[in-house]
Amino acid sequence: MAERGGRGSGGHGSLDKSITLPPDEIFRNLENAKRFAIGGSLTKLAYYSTVQHKVARVRSFDHSGKDIENEPLYEIAVQEEITARLHFIKFENTYIETCLDFIKDHLVNTETKVIKATGGGAYKFKDLIEKKLGLKVDKEDVMTCLIKGCNFVLRNIPHEVFAYQKDSDTEFRFQMNHPNIFPYLLVNIGSGVSIVKVETEDKFEWIGGSSIGGGTFWGLGALLTKTKKFDELLQLASKGQHTNVDMLVKDVYGGAYQTLGLSGNLIASSFGKSTTADKEFSKEDMAKSLLHMISNDIGQLACLYAKLHNLDKIYFGGFFIRGHPVTMRTITYSINFFSKGEVQALFLRHEGYLGAIGAFLKGAEQDNPNQYSWGENYAGSSGLMSTSPDVYPMQRTRSGTFDMLEMDRLERPLVNLPLLKDPSTYIPDTVDLTDDAMARKYWLTCFEEALDGVAKRAAASQPDSVDALERAEKFRQKYWNKLQTLRQQPFAYGTLTVRSLLDTREHCLNEFNFPDPYSKVKQKENGIALKCFQSVIESLDSLGWEERQFALVKGLLAGNVFDWGAKAVSDVLESEPQFGFEEAKSKLQERPWLEDSYSQWLERLKEGPPHKCALIFADNSGIDIILGVFPFVRELLSRGTEVILACNSGPALNDVTYSESLIVTERIAAMDPVIQSALRDEKLLLVQTGSSSPCLDLSRLDQGLAVLVRERQTDLVIIEGMGRAIHTNYYAALKCESLKLAVIKNSWLADRLGGKIFSVIFKYEVPCK
């Protein structure tokens, strides 16, 4: 998506050879950097930049006085757009000078002469930063920065929070964003330990801490093992056996201490065996014992403070955690043991960035970052890394000791759909691929096999571009690498789902300036479908009421067959250009459908009053929206039901976008008086979802849509499409009536649900009173 901010690594040989990513991959968009912040015992650099990327825009032709029969429906213009991006980079202090050299060489357009700093970095590197970059270092309060950073990631990054369960199939259990994040306890484990009670955005209190923290582990570890690097010390610990060094309860009492209910395997004395054993202990065993000792101490302390203040959520942050399984396991064990399961230990994917993010936010208050919603850019983020021995070497080869997080500013704030029954328990995704090895293997392979075709289509969508093939190959390679990472570390970006795989692909396409590979396909299909609209309406109007209701539903389902994101369909559409609306109807499963509550829906239409307002989440362009959705919309309007038609804000596959829907609706209104009068009287309203995904997250929708849903007292939600109604929201519980409709166009998914390809899902749900 972004043009490279740096001028390449040629001529700047200052970065350490162990850094295998090019420096301009690590420090992206530096020439457009606006604000900086730095923090921590490990160096965390944060900066805000403007990013130029290409956006596909559609607009109507001026057809006044012209014959438009053979002209395209609208024109497509690819424009340059400037958006905001946040960059967060984390690396070991040994790289600080070489990194600052690189930044200095590429920093040409910064608007500020001040860099915000917090934590150890504010003091340790103040003189070095001011000398190298010529920027004044402005120190910020550590606690304020930590809280600001924590609140920011909790609000803006789905699946930021996870619990760690060592012995389960899925060690990382991610949680969705909770609409109310307060109160909570933040235990930040940096050099020492700080414990903060957070009650609101601006109300927090330091309630305790300890001098025994990450710095203690690093310092004592260096003395014991002569290992100076933090990562290497963690590596030693992961290979060690602490029972060779620690004295256990059974070593003292010969077994469990039944009277006190203590397990024989409980540590009675850290390093206790070193006083009696006449032998040398291995570096690995000593590092493991030290890690257990400090983790257990922190866990017990945190648990006592949580119980004292009646809090059941503890977030652990700081560089000591770093997604390290042994650390998280021992802290989780301590919390469970001392709280008897009443308090939950929660970890953050980006725990090491909190102070730097907070410092950045303090310095960027005039940019109002909290007034926007932000989304993680999967193409530019390195993701959560496992440090288990079998995975770790591959990571170091790929990324050295650098971690990166990128977040893009979204155009408008995103909020919950007001009609969600319980936003705190809403989970959009139907299948957790992190937890389902068979499903994960299938879908990763599916996306791998489709990759060449996607790259080919991306290049073909820009025939006039001299470098389209080169960029398409770069996209292919980047997304392929992401898929390989997810095979090894399915938890890298949170819960792995079909939605996250699709979103990552879209991010990678945007990264290499393919904003809408299906734009020409959609343009053509919209034009063809519009020519059929009047005959479809005439056919429907000739039917009796009950027969028409079924024909409308069948048309809606047939329209949903036209999905270029489904391989079974795209193969047909590529090989049979004449495949049309009637052919799609013939492909549909006969009733009874795989999920079939059509009879209940028909009864509701017969016996109940008209719905006040229906919210429809549309899926594909062309036949789907024009010949499937709009006749259905027209029928609802004729019953006296207002309609809110919600379409994607940005492109994804062949999904209809909001801007395309405006043009399509205008053309339909010119042919149909029902649609025309509904638009004029604001009975039909077109809105954008705030999403650019083939799937649908009802907890992150455009604020304007949510306002409209409340104002119009929406009492029916219709979700159509495999991505929106099956991959996501299949189990979503709403406060009002809902229809979830889709045709299953993937044979594996059909089999998993007990059906066959082109099986039909028609799910009518009424909320319990």
Side-chain angles (χ1 to χ4, degrees):
M1 184 159 92
E3 292 182 354
R4 292 287 179 259
R7 294 189 289 269
S9 54
H12 298 283
S14 60
L15 284 188
D16 192 285
K17 290 180 181 178
S18 69
I19 305 169
T20 56
L21 279 178
D24 57 349
E25 281 283 330
I26 297 169
F27 302 102
R28 290 155 36 110
N29 314 118
L30 265 174
E31 291 185 347
N32 301 315
K34 306 296 180 188
R35 312 239 183 286
F36 277 86
I38 198 164
S41 301
L42 289 179
T43 304
K44 276 82 70 174
L45 183 73
Y47 60 97
Y48 160 99
S49 74
T50 54
V51 180
Q52 271 195 317
H53 64 111
K54 295 189 186 299
V55 179
R57 299 288 186 205
V58 301
R59 62 185 179 206
S60 294
F61 285 113
D62 179 10
H63 288 308
S64 54
K66 296 180 185 176
D67 175 18
I68 62 171
E69 182 64 28
N70 296 312
E71 288 191 23
L73 175 63
Y74 48 78
E75 63 176 324
I76 304 162
V78 175
Q79 303 170 352
E80 292 286 340
E81 189 173 88
I82 295 177
T83 56
R85 176 174 287 176
L86 299 181
H87 305 256
F88 303 103
I89 304 161
K90 181 171 63 178
F91 51 93
E92 287 191 3
N93 292 339
T94 51
Y95 300 109
I96 184 69
E97 286 210 49
T98 50
C99 288
L100 289 175
D101 282 337
F102 183 82
I103 292 167
K104 179 186 176 184
D105 289 343
H106 290 73
L107 190 60
V108 294
N109 291 327
T110 184
E111 293 177 352
T112 181
K113 294 300 178 186
V114 175
I115 184 167
K116 294 287 185 180
T118 189
Y123 301 93
K124 193 182 299 183
F125 302 120
K126 177 180 182 293
D127 294 340
L128 181 64
I129 293 166
E130 291 184 342
K131 179 183 175 184
K132 290 269 187 186
L133 299 184
L135 301 176
K136 181 179 181 297
V137 172
D138 189 3
K139 300 170 192 170
E140 289 290 344
D141 177 68
V142 175
M143 282 304 113
T144 303
C145 290
L146 282 173
I147 303 308
K148 270 190 171 292
C150 191
N151 291 341
F152 185 79
V153 297
L154 289 176
R155 283 208 169 92
N156 287 287
I157 305 183
H159 299 154
E160 172 65 26
V161 177
F162 64 92
Y164 185 77
Q165 298 173 317
K166 173 66 175 74
D167 298 319
S168 71
D169 291 338
T170 306
E171 296 179 10
F172 298 85
R173 293 282 177 181
F174 292 93
Q175 301 189 352
M176 288 298 293
N177 293 49
H178 195 289
N180 182 14
I181 61 175
F182 305 110
Y184 65 84
L185 198 68
L186 176 63
V187 179
N188 192 68
I189 313 171
S191 300
V193 179
S194 295
I195 300 176
V196 185
K197 178 184 178 182
V198 185
E199 296 182 75
T200 67
E201 190 71 49
D202 301 310
K203 185 180 179 183
F204 57 88
E205 177 188 4
W206 184 89
I207 56 174
S210 172
S211 62
I212 300 171
T216 314
F217 173 68
W218 201 346
L220 283 177
L223 291 172
L224 289 167
T225 68
K226 309 303 179 189
T227 301
K228 296 292 185 183
K229 289 193 174 182
F230 189 82
D231 276 339
E232 290 177 11
L233 195 58
L234 288 177
Q235 270 299 96
L236 287 175
S238 71
K239 298 172 184 174
Q241 179 55 258
H242 79 99
T243 55
N244 292 335
V245 182
D246 293 341
M247 190 174 289
L248 308 182
V249 168
K250 65 184 177 184
D251 296 324
V252 178
Y253 299 106
Y257 198 128
Q258 303 291 351
T259 307
L260 296 180
L262 299 178
S263 163
N265 291 319
L266 207 63
I267 298 172
S269 174
S270 296
F271 287 90
K273 288 180 181 175
S274 62
T275 61
T276 56
D278 187 19
K279 64 173 183 177
E280 291 289 320
F281 294 100
S282 73
K283 292 180 179 180
E284 290 82 0
D285 291 348
M286 288 190 292
K288 184 66 164 284
S289 175
L290 182 62
L291 189 61
H292 269 283
M293 180 181 80
I294 291 169
S295 297
N296 279 324
D297 184 62
I298 294 169
Q300 182 177 13
L301 194 63
C303 181
L304 291 171
Y305 274 109
K307 296 193 82 170
L308 184 64
H309 291 270
N310 297 313
L311 297 171
D312 59 3
K313 283 186 299 189
I314 308 178
Y315 296 122
F316 288 90
F319 83 85
F320 180 66
I321 304 291
R322 307 190 74 186
H324 190 68
V326 179
T327 309
M328 294 188 295
R329 182 188 181 187
T330 50
I331 286 175
T332 299
Y333 179 85
S334 293
I335 294 292
N336 287 339
F337 180 81
F338 290 109
S339 76
K340 296 182 171 59
E342 292 176 5
V343 177
Q344 192 172 21
L346 298 169
F347 303 94
L348 304 170
R349 278 204 291 136
H350 302 103
E351 84 287 336
Y353 297 112
L354 300 184
I357 291 174
F360 169 80
L361 292 172
K362 286 283 287 181
E365 284 171 347
Q366 65 257 51
D367 296 319
N368 297 318
N370 280 320
Q371 288 188 7
Y372 297 91
S373 287
W374 299 78
E376 183 173 2
N377 175 22
Y378 295 138
S381 294
S382 49
L384 181 66
M385 301 292 178
S386 167
T387 46
S388 57
D390 55 331
V391 175
Y392 193 81
M394 181 274 291
Q395 290 172 10
R396 287 192 67 85
T397 300
R398 193 180 77 250
S399 61
T401 55
F402 283 74
D403 262 350
M404 288 165 284
L405 165 64
E406 287 187 356
M407 297 182 72
D408 290 327
R409 193 178 77 189
L410 307 179
E411 285 186 22
R412 287 142 84 167
L414 301 183
V415 297
N416 285 307
L417 178 69
L419 297 171
L420 280 175
K421 189 173 183 180
D422 183 1
S424 67
T425 59
Y426 168 70
I427 299 173
D429 303 289
T430 305
V431 179
D432 180 349
L433 301 182
T434 325
D435 201 26
D436 189 329
M438 186 185 298
R440 180 170 72 248
K441 182 179 179 182
Y442 170 80
W443 284 108
L444 285 170
T445 301
C446 188
F447 277 86
E448 285 174 358
E449 291 175 349
L451 184 51
D452 286 346
V454 176
K456 183 180 175 183
R457 176 162 294 282
S461 72
Q462 298 179 4
D464 300 328
S465 173
V466 293
D467 67 343
L469 281 171
E470 180 186 351
R471 285 185 288 112
E473 174 55 26
K474 286 180 177 178
F475 151 73
R476 193 194 67 79
Q477 191 60 52
K478 182 146 199 173
Y479 189 54
W480 174 265
N481 289 338
K482 292 286 180 185
L483 292 174
Q484 304 325 301
T485 296
L486 291 167
R487 279 196 184 275
Q488 295 288 336
Q489 298 159 180
F491 47 79
Y493 299 104
T495 301
L496 182 64
T497 63
V498 173
R499 175 169 63 105
S500 66
L501 288 170
L502 285 164
D503 289 351
T504 304
R505 189 168 71 183
E506 292 299 320
H507 292 180
C508 290
L509 281 167
N510 283 326
E511 179 76 16
F512 295 101
N513 281 326
F514 294 108
D516 193 357
Y518 287 85
S519 57
K520 296 284 200 309
V521 172
K522 291 186 289 181
Q523 181 191 45
K524 180 182 176 183
E525 292 185 351
N526 283 330
I528 291 170
L530 277 170
K531 291 176 182 177
C532 304
F533 178 77
Q534 281 180 302
S535 63
V536 168
I537 293 301
E538 287 169 8
S539 173
L540 287 165
D541 286 348
S542 69
L543 301 174
W545 183 85
E546 191 161 327
E547 194 180 0
R548 186 168 71 250
Q549 303 314 308
F550 185 68
L552 284 163
V553 166
K554 195 170 180 182
L556 195 56
L557 293 165
N560 193 242
V561 169
F562 292 84
D563 183 355
W564 282 87
K567 189 174 186 303
V569 175
S570 63
D571 287 348
V572 171
L573 296 176
E574 291 273 17
S575 60
E576 300 178 37
Q578 301 308 310
F579 186 85
F581 195 38
E582 295 306 315
E583 287 81 359
K585 288 180 185 176
S586 69
K587 288 275 188 184
L588 296 177
Q589 174 192 18
E590 294 293 329
R591 290 193 70 197
W593 295 322
L594 183 60
E595 176 84 36
D596 193 339
S597 46
Y598 174 74
S599 297
Q600 291 92 314
W601 169 247
L602 186 65
E603 191 67 22
R604 165 65 181 85
L605 293 179
K606 278 182 184 176
E607 304 297 333
H611 295 91
K612 184 167 182 57
C613 179
L615 168 63
I616 302 178
F617 290 101
D619 191 9
N620 305 310
S621 285
I623 288 176
D624 192 357
I625 188 166
I626 294 168
L627 303 185
V629 172
F630 262 100
F632 200 84
V633 167
R634 189 175 176 273
E635 183 75 11
L636 287 170
L637 292 167
S638 299
R639 280 174 58 83
T641 300
E642 296 179 356
V643 176
I644 301 169
L645 184 60
C647 300
N648 269 8
S649 297
L653 294 172
N654 66 315
D655 292 2
V656 62
T657 63
Y658 170 69
S659 54
E660 290 160 358
S661 74
L662 293 175
I663 295 172
V664 165
T665 306
E666 180 187 0
R667 293 293 296 275
I668 289 175
M671 294 185 273
D672 189 277
V674 175
I675 299 298
Q676 189 176 61
S677 63
L679 283 172
R680 184 187 62 238
D681 300 337
E682 295 188 344
K683 303 292 186 184
L684 172 59
L685 299 148
L686 275 61
V687 296
Q688 53 185 314
T689 62
S691 170
S692 299
S693 171
C695 296
L696 181 64
D697 181 352
L698 297 176
S699 69
R700 284 173 68 82
L701 292 176
D702 188 278
Q703 192 173 49
L705 185 155
V707 169
L708 205 54
V709 162
R710 283 196 188 94
E711 286 178 352
R712 296 298 172 113
Q713 297 176 26
T714 302
D715 54 356
L716 174 64
V717 174
I718 301 169
I719 306 174
E720 65 134 355
M722 199 164 70
R724 290 166 179 76
I726 297 181
H727 291 316
T728 51
N729 299 303
Y730 193 68
Y731 300 116
L734 301 175
K735 294 177 183 175
C736 68
E737 295 172 55
S738 64
L739 280 177
K740 298 169 186 174
L741 311 96
V743 177
I744 302 172
K745 293 148 290 192
N746 176 282
S747 54
W748 182 90
L749 180 60
D751 185 63
R752 172 64 74 98
L753 293 173
K756 296 178 180 178
I757 196 160
F758 298 115
S759 289
V760 168
I761 298 294
F762 187 95
K763 199 174 185 183
Y764 170 56
E765 295 177 308
V766 180
C768 299
K769 297 293 183 185

